[in-house]
């Protein structure tokens, strides 16, 4: 069973709000955003092959990755303005097919207790038209499938939670 | 004589548009945004002491600086998502007095010919309220004074243009 992705796309403003709950601890969900080997396994729609060229999920860091769908390859890159462990990420986002239409994304990781959490996000584009194009490109389906894949990853026997402990141990 | 700063602050959206012309070549105005020793001499209102802690004006780079006004110190930081020489900068912007209210700024450097250029900018906040707070904080006066100081810097005998040539030489 998966939780629902909720999108709010108000008219006349350039942002999209979304929320998604997870039946997993906030540390595991955060770690699945930090560790590029985990990110690669869930980010984006089903059936795409993701290659992570750079993923430095720290304040001032950045990323670039590609999604391959058959012969089509889509590139994405951005910077991480703020990353606070298990709490917050603020990053830029550019789909290289629409150069310079950069969005800024705010993600809050909220601990709901009882081993559950909620992701609360806002993506703000440069223009209302750019935001609308992103919506029309199938963004909602891609996000929904990505978070379903994240659910599956978090419940695998060799799970993200175990990897989270390992990472915490290395950094501790 | 200074050129006017033009601001457009439409109701109901989280952005501010601005334009400002300069009686100086686009290379000199761009370089005064790239070289931290020059930035320090013009960015912000008159009478503030600026300390640049970091200024890496390249794609994927970042910055932090403080403005001191008597006993008050204001910190600012962000990342540079895109920097294209003499053409474009896209960056994040955070006033540390309003944590996590990060804006994304788009600046286009337009060559007008005859040794003149125009800066065209858009700053997009997370919320309309955050944008309005920025406007009410005296942003327009600070920007206008900063660009007047930049005019003065560009017409100094040991000018930014000379520094631009030196930098261009170093980069080959």
């Amino acid at each position: 069973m998966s939780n629902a992705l909720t999108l709010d796309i108000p008219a006349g403003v350039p942002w999209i709000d979304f929320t998604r709950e997870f039946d997993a601890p906030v540390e595991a969900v955060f770690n699945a955003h930090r560790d590029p080997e985990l990110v690669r396994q869930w980010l984006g729609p089903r059936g795409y092959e993701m290659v992570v060229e750079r993923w430095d999920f720290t304040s001032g860091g950045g990323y670039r990755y590609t999604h391959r769908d058959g012969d089509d390859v889509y590139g994405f890159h951005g910077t991480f303005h703020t990353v606070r462990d298990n709490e917050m990420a603020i990053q830029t986002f550019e789909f290289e097919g629409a150069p310079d239409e950069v969005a800024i994304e705010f993600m809050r990781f909220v601990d709901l207790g009882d081993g559950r959490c909620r992701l609360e996000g806002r993506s703000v584009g440069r223009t209302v038209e750019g935001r609308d194009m992103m919506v029309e490109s199938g963004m909602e389906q891609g996000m929904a499938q990505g978070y379903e894949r994240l659910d599956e990853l978090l419940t695998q026997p060799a799970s993200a939670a175990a990897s989270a402990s390992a990472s915490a141990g290395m950094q501790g």
Side-chain angles (χ1 to χ4, degrees), chain A residues 102-120:
Chain A
V102 185
I104 183 166
E105 302 183 335
F106 300 80
M107 279 193 299
R108 192 178 292 275
F109 299 79
V110 182
D111 188 347
L112 299 177
D114 295 324
R116 302 187 70 251
C117 68
R118 184 172 57 234
L119 200 53
E120 301 176 351

Side-chain angles (χ1 to χ4, degrees), chain A residues 9 11 15-16 24 47 61-62 71-72 77 79 81 91 100 103 106 122 137 145 162-163:
Chain A
I9 307 170
W15 66 70
I16 296 160
D71 288 340
D72 296 322
H77 71 269
T79 60
H81 176 96
Q91 65 191 70
D100 300 332
F106 300 80
R122 168 169 291 191
S137 75
Q145 289 187 7
S163 170

